[in-house]
Amino acid sequence: MTRTVYVNGEYLPETEAKVSIFDRGFLMADAVYEVTSVLGGKLIDFEGHAVRLKRSLDELDMQEPCTKDELLEIHRKLVELNGIDEGLVYLQVTRGSDGDRDFVFPSLETKPTIVLFTQNKPGLANSEASKKGAKIISIEDIRWGRRDIKTVQLLYPSMGKMMAKKAGADDAWMIEDGYVTEGTSNNAYFVKDGVIVTRPLSNDILHGITRKAVLRMAEEAQLKVEERLFTIDEAKEADEAFTTSASAFVMPVVEIDGVQLRDGTPGPIAKRLREIYLEESVKEAI
Ligand code: PMP
């Protein structure tokens, strides 16, 4: 089925949607994005994604393409037009195109480019992958220093996923100065003696929308959370581990660098947090 997508004010069949070859998103990765999940035809934590988008735009002196209300309306309309029950809405805003290539930012007369499209993912909430759990490898983190801004510079994370696939794993966690930063497209956690450990927020990692919700829900469920730096060896010796992201929610991790955690099946805290997260966020979905 041909999707209906949104480009700069228009709803179009995906085959007719166009962006200039001079667009700075294309030429320079001068663009930010958000991915919002859809469950039961409703948006999960739209507010969190809209607030983070605004922050990413502000940090890069990029103009807002539209208001938050308009953004919500576009998201909802695309979900409806494409009949999405479970899936994702991808949103990208670039600094636009001034019809040439130049390192200097164009003037504010150059309007940002805004593109949104849906991805249909039936069974997202109940995925086979989440029942099996993920095998991960560790790789060096060689990304830039502003990982708190959600830019489309995804080449290294994409290479990281390929390194994982080549090694027979599902994903990679990145390591900088001896400590785990995050997964290629998720935040990283381990659990030891009932305490959930994850790296504190800084410019070194993306401030995950799912991370924020899951940590709040963990505390509400009387689980202990420690935000501190941790090594991959600590994670390998953990009782269990998991990742969080808007597209995979809470994903149990069952193997790290070939070392099996527990008996190689998802741990009880990861499973419980996944259930709580799905239940709570579906209740609050809009
Ligand atoms: N870290 C990175 C590097 C990511 O790409 C993502 C997903 N975009 C996350 C963490 C998780 O963030 P969220 O929960 O907002 O999807």
Side-chain angles (χ1 to χ4, degrees), residues 19 57 92 96 182 201 220 225 250 265 267 275:
V19 173
L57 292 169
Q92 181 169 328
E182 57 189 334
L201 295 182
E220 281 165 8
V225 174
V250 178
T265 62
E275 277 169 24

Side-chain angles (χ1 to χ4, degrees), residues 195-223:
V195 182
I196 299 165
V197 178
T198 195
R199 190 180 176 103
L201 295 182
S202 69
N203 291 353
D204 301 336
I205 61 168
L206 187 74
H207 301 190
I209 300 305
T210 322
R211 177 188 186 280
K212 188 174 178 186
V214 165
L215 291 186
R216 175 172 49 81
M217 291 169 195
E219 279 172 3
E220 281 165 8
Q222 317 290 328
L223 295 165

Side-chain angles (χ1 to χ4, degrees), residues 70-90:
E70 286 166 337
L71 216 51
L72 176 59
E73 192 188 320
I74 301 165
H75 275 75
R76 282 179 160 161
K77 190 154 176 195
L78 283 182
V79 167
E80 190 194 318
L81 288 172
N82 293 291
I84 308 294
D85 181 53
E86 292 195 12
L88 306 169
V89 182
Y90 177 86

Side-chain angles (χ1 to χ4, degrees), residues 33-35 49 52 143 147 150 154 157 174 182-188 205-212 244-247 249 277:
Y33 75 109
E34 284 295 331
V35 178
H49 290 285
R52 185 172 62 189
R143 297 172 300 161
R147 303 160 193 154
K150 198 166 169 60
L154 296 175
M174 294 176 279
E182 57 189 334
T184 58
S185 60
N186 42 57
N187 290 113
I205 61 168
L206 187 74
H207 301 190
I209 300 305
T210 322
R211 177 188 186 280
K212 188 174 178 186
T244 63
S245 66
S247 52
F249 316 116
Y277 176 77

Side-chain angles (χ1 to χ4, degrees), residues 14 24-25 28 72 86 130 161 165 194 231 266:
E14 62 186 40
R24 291 180 59 92
M28 304 203 169
L72 176 59
E86 292 195 12
S130 71
K161 285 257 200 235
K165 293 249 175 284
T231 66

Side-chain angles (χ1 to χ4, degrees), residues 71-257:
L71 216 51
L72 176 59
E73 192 188 320
I74 301 165
H75 275 75
R76 282 179 160 161
K77 190 154 176 195
L78 283 182
V79 167
E80 190 194 318
L81 288 172
N82 293 291
I84 308 294
D85 181 53
E86 292 195 12
L88 306 169
V89 182
Y90 177 86
L91 151 81
Q92 181 169 328
V93 180
T94 85
R95 204 182 302 274
S97 155
D98 61 358
D100 205 351
R101 181 177 180 272
D102 193 340
F103 280 81
V104 174
F105 289 178
S107 78
L108 293 180
E109 273 156 46
T110 297
K111 292 295 160 214
T113 298
I114 174 167
V115 170
L116 286 93
F117 58 81
T118 54
Q119 291 183 291
N120 194 24
K121 306 245 179 212
L124 186 65
N126 209 9
S127 71
E128 278 312 308
S130 71
K131 285 176 209 150
K132 264 177 60 188
K135 294 179 181 177
I136 61 140
I137 58 164
S138 59
I139 59 172
E140 196 189 340
D141 196 338
I142 57 167
R143 297 172 300 161
W144 80 325
R146 288 303 306 274
R147 303 160 193 154
D148 57 310
I149 308 173
K150 198 166 169 60
T151 75
V152 301
Q153 300 176 67
L154 296 175
L155 180 55
Y156 187 65
S158 180
M159 288 166 72
K161 285 257 200 235
M162 294 313 293
M163 290 183 233
K165 293 249 175 284
K166 222 170 166 181
D170 305 296
D171 204 354
W173 283 8
M174 294 176 279
I175 298 183
E176 185 174 57
D177 300 331
Y179 296 102
V180 174
T181 51
E182 57 189 334
T184 58
S185 60
N186 42 57
N187 290 113
Y189 311 72
F190 73 86
V191 184
K192 184 76 177 174
D193 300 328
V195 182
I196 299 165
V197 178
T198 195
R199 190 180 176 103
L201 295 182
S202 69
N203 291 353
D204 301 336
I205 61 168
L206 187 74
H207 301 190
I209 300 305
T210 322
R211 177 188 186 280
K212 188 174 178 186
V214 165
L215 291 186
R216 175 172 49 81
M217 291 169 195
E219 279 172 3
E220 281 165 8
Q222 317 290 328
L223 295 165
K224 284 199 204 95
V225 174
E226 232 174 76
E227 292 180 65
R228 65 166 173 86
L229 298 182
F230 66 94
T231 66
I232 198 76
D233 285 339
E234 278 184 279
K236 278 186 213 165
E237 285 159 17
D239 299 329
E240 52 177 296
F242 61 92
T243 63
T244 63
S245 66
S247 52
F249 316 116
V250 178
M251 174 64 71
V253 167
V254 295
E255 193 183 294
I256 301 176
D257 286 336

